[in-house]
Amino acid sequence: MDKKPIILTVDDDAQVLNAIDRDLRAEFRQDYRILRAASGEEALETLRELLAREEEVALILADQRMPGLEGVELLAEARTLFPDAKRVLLTAYADTEAAIRAINNARLDHYLMKPWDPPQQLLYPTLHDLLGAWRATHRPRFKGVRLVGFQWSPLSHDLKDFLAGYMVAYQWLDFETNPDAQALLSAKNLAAADLPVVVLEDGTALARPTATEVATRIGLTTQATQELYDVVVIGAGPSGLAAAVYGASEGLKTLIIERQTPGGQAGTSSRIENYLGFPTGLSGAELAHRAWAQAVRLGAEFLAPREVTELCVQDGYKVLTLSDGSTVRTRAVVLTTGVSYRTLEVPGMHRLSGAGVYYGAARTEARSCDEQDVYIVGGGNSAGQAAMYLATYARRVGIVIRGESLAASMSAYLIEQIAHTPNIEILPFTEVAEVCGQDHLEAVVLKSRGELRQVPARALFVFIGAKPSTEWVCQTVLCDGKGFLLTGRDLVTDPRYATAWKHSREPYLLETCVPGVFAAGDSRAGAMARVASAVGEGSMAIKFVHQYLDE
């Protein structure tokens, strides 16, 4: 339940303090919490504690004549802690001139004469007006996760992508431009060197946390709970999520492990319009979240963000070693590790990665491109979807391609949409030669037909080629020359098959050279780079898992 806003009363006279406390509780306790302090120093300490706990103070009433810190001095100090709180001075008739000066000089909201009897006439109307004004202008604190960081910090960018990938509601506060960010950091006794900082809903602040630390605190499962699983799915792209849904729904003890966020490359797509059953399209993040929720509801266990670093076979069981050294045992494995975009090897790329240069759609950065020029490298569907999304924010989107047109690599519906979007420009026979900037991207150097030109750029999004995320497993299962996993008939026709396969039967359609280890989706040799085919392969893999477990 949300905490009520606070009214704080301050007076060194116990009799007066009891009287004002009694009258305030009689009238306002339904909507406010009434706190009290017996001195200005005690009141300041209370206010600092409330600020650290991120509580809301609506009204402060302080007596003028107090030893040590007088009322006017206290209320002036309180304004630095709670600038929106209404501040009222309690004063005797002899101090009215001081009270009036304080209203003008210290920006007090009101002063009240003692005694205030009857309160129905001399106290409550004034306080109701002040509290009504406070409620009208007060902005309640954001209730979800808050992320404080630098706009151009790769660490901040990674945390934004992580939270967005798991559809965690969060508020981004740029430390350099947002005064609320600086005030929040100060309230938590943290400094710029501690950024990025994640502030959880309960007020806990995590300085420079890893994604795993954040995942643990927001309730994601980061440790396996079972000693042995029927099937472990590695990778939570469309194929992995489909495998988890079908495995769990068919009674298998299913675990899915994802090293980053659900959805894979498809999860970064701003709009998928050719997926069966969604005539108006849907975002990749929405599709991933629906599938993730479905798998969990059916009983699958989801482990993230965790990375598998090794796979070995012991007495027929598959043992997976995770990056933290822990192990998971399973009867069968489905590899759905997907692919990642190849890096663009030009000067400045590595230095500015995450600071204006992004691999994939980076939807979390789109709003910061408002009325700016951005560039996209690549001509596939992912690049086209990103261009359409970015065009709603950016002043101009340039699509950089080496070829003559998009026809050979992009779906017709996307090409048509791009053609009808006036702020998207196709740059054929062009490539990026260099990226420029100090601490963030400021410009890109484009090379076209031998000529170089430098153009200002707010962001550069790279979608060039794909390499399978299989480096860690290629020593255990057979891959082709590009690192894609060999399965089924492709495995049988490989010259290494005779020495690698020792089972009496031939491998199943999606089975690798290790019996009981299957592959599906984009990391499998011969797979189609389509969401629908990835989902189909993931569900098919579970059929073969059943056959393997029945042996």
Side-chain angles (χ1 to χ4, degrees):
M1 188 172 77
D2 291 343
K3 293 181 179 179
K4 298 175 183 177
I6 289 166
I7 297 175
L8 175 64
T9 62
V10 191
D11 203 309
D12 66 314
D13 186 323
Q15 186 175 355
V16 176
L17 187 60
N18 288 335
I20 188 68
D21 184 79
R22 178 197 64 226
D23 289 342
L24 290 176
R25 290 181 184 277
E27 182 71 7
F28 297 105
R29 65 182 177 184
Q30 293 297 321
D31 300 313
Y32 299 88
R33 284 192 295 147
I34 315 300
L35 301 183
R36 54 195 288 174
S39 69
E41 292 80 5
E42 181 185 341
L44 278 181
E45 184 62 29
T46 298
L47 289 172
R48 292 190 183 101
E49 292 175 359
L50 293 173
L51 182 64
R53 297 203 302 266
E54 298 187 75
E55 303 219 35
E56 296 175 335
V57 176
L59 176 67
I60 305 170
L61 297 97
D63 187 57
Q64 167 61 8
R65 294 199 176 186
M66 294 188 293
L69 201 63
E70 290 189 336
V72 171
E73 296 173 315
L74 164 63
L75 293 175
E77 287 283 333
R79 186 169 180 266
T80 65
L81 300 174
F82 290 93
D84 297 331
K86 298 300 179 182
R87 293 167 300 141
V88 177
L89 191 68
L90 297 175
T91 181
Y93 179 79
D95 296 323
T96 53
E97 287 189 13
I100 293 171
R101 286 197 304 270
I103 290 176
N104 294 328
N105 299 331
R107 299 185 186 179
L108 300 189
D109 295 288
H110 211 280
Y111 74 92
L112 290 172
M113 299 285 293
K114 299 185 294 186
W116 52 84
D117 189 50
Q120 291 78 8
Q121 297 178 18
L122 301 179
L123 179 66
Y124 298 155
T126 297
L127 297 189
H128 274 297
D129 287 344
L130 290 172
L131 291 170
W134 178 82
R135 284 192 175 276
T137 58
H138 175 67
R139 289 187 306 161
R141 180 177 69 84
F142 182 74
K143 298 299 183 183
V145 173
R146 285 166 293 169
L147 173 59
V148 184
F150 295 108
Q151 175 62 43
W152 302 112
S153 161
L155 289 176
S156 297
H157 167 71
D158 290 344
L159 286 173
K160 283 192 282 186
D161 264 8
F162 172 76
L163 293 170
Y166 285 96
M167 288 195 165
V168 177
Y170 76 95
Q171 182 184 43
W172 163 247
L173 301 172
D174 189 335
F175 180 75
E176 294 180 305
T177 62
N178 192 324
D180 291 342
Q182 299 171 28
L184 179 59
L185 213 62
S186 177
K188 300 299 180 185
N189 294 317
L190 296 172
D194 298 309
L195 295 176
V197 169
V198 173
V199 181
L200 304 174
E201 190 169 354
D202 63 3
T204 303
L206 307 176
R208 298 178 67 86
T210 65
T212 302
E213 289 173 325
V214 176
T216 302
R217 299 304 296 267
I218 64 176
L220 296 179
T221 304
T222 58
Q223 298 293 334
T225 62
Q226 305 290 329
E227 291 187 2
L228 179 66
Y229 293 89
D230 293 320
V231 60
V232 171
V233 182
I234 304 175
S239 57
L241 291 168
V245 166
Y246 280 89
S249 67
E250 294 173 11
L252 297 179
K253 193 180 296 182
T254 304
L255 173 69
I256 183 168
I257 304 175
E258 169 57 46
R259 66 177 179 175
Q260 294 176 328
T261 56
Q265 280 194 331
T268 67
S269 295
S270 55
R271 179 64 50 179
I272 302 172
E273 298 193 53
N274 58 354
Y275 188 59
L276 183 67
F278 293 88
T280 60
L282 79 167
S283 71
E286 183 183 1
L287 176 63
H289 186 73
R290 289 186 181 190
W292 172 31
Q294 186 178 18
V296 172
R297 182 182 65 83
L298 291 170
E301 186 178 323
F302 198 96
L303 205 62
R306 286 296 190 193
E307 183 175 6
V308 181
T309 58
E310 185 180 354
L311 183 156
C312 64
V313 180
Q314 295 179 358
D315 300 325
Y317 295 104
K318 284 69 180 172
V319 180
L320 303 171
T321 302
L322 307 186
S323 56
D324 65 349
S326 61
T327 59
V328 175
R329 289 166 56 84
T330 179
R331 293 183 172 91
V333 172
V334 179
L335 298 170
T336 57
T337 53
V339 296
S340 58
Y341 291 111
R342 297 188 183 277
T343 56
L344 186 62
E345 299 297 338
V346 300
M349 286 294 293
H350 294 294
R351 181 171 55 85
L352 298 178
S353 181
V357 172
Y358 307 105
Y359 288 90
R363 296 183 69 211
T364 54
E365 305 298 338
R367 293 185 181 275
S368 66
C369 299
D370 189 44
E371 294 304 314
Q372 303 285 326
D373 292 351
V374 302
Y375 289 86
I376 291 173
V377 183
N381 277 3
S382 294
Q385 290 159 355
M388 290 301 301
Y389 181 73
L390 289 166
T392 61
Y393 301 98
R395 176 176 59 193
R396 176 176 172 273
V397 179
I399 300 180
V400 179
I401 55 173
R402 291 184 175 182
E404 180 181 3
S405 72
L406 299 170
S409 56
M410 190 178 293
S411 297
Y413 79 91
L414 270 174
I415 295 176
E416 183 177 357
Q417 289 179 358
I418 289 171
H420 288 88
T421 305
N423 62 331
I424 298 180
E425 180 183 1
I426 309 299
L427 302 173
F429 304 113
T430 304
E431 56 187 290
V432 174
E434 184 180 357
V435 295
C436 309
Q438 293 299 318
D439 60 342
H440 67 276
L441 179 70
E442 298 174 14
V444 298
V445 177
L446 300 177
K447 182 179 180 181
S448 179
R449 294 182 171 90
E451 294 184 3
L452 297 176
R453 63 187 176 103
Q454 182 172 298
V455 293
R458 172 62 176 72
L460 177 70
F461 301 91
V462 181
F463 299 84
I464 54 169
K467 60 177 181 179
S469 303
T470 57
E471 303 91 345
W472 62 277
V473 77
C474 280
Q475 299 299 318
T476 306
V477 300
L478 293 182
C479 300
D480 67 12
K482 296 181 178 180
F484 291 91
L485 301 165
L486 293 173
T487 60
R489 294 306 303 170
D490 290 333
L491 178 62
V492 172
T493 57
D494 188 275
R496 297 167 292 177
Y497 170 72
T499 55
W501 184 260
K502 299 301 181 182
H503 205 286
S504 57
R505 60 166 175 82
E506 283 195 354
Y508 296 123
L509 180 63
L510 299 179
E511 197 168 21
T512 69
C513 66
V514 178
V517 176
F518 303 86
D522 290 353
S523 61
R524 188 183 69 82
M528 294 178 61
R530 291 291 184 270
V531 174
S533 62
V535 170
E537 287 192 9
S539 58
M540 284 172 56
I542 296 303
K543 172 182 180 294
F544 297 125
V545 168
H546 279 295
Q547 292 181 356
Y548 169 76
L549 295 178
D550 288 342
E551 291 178 356

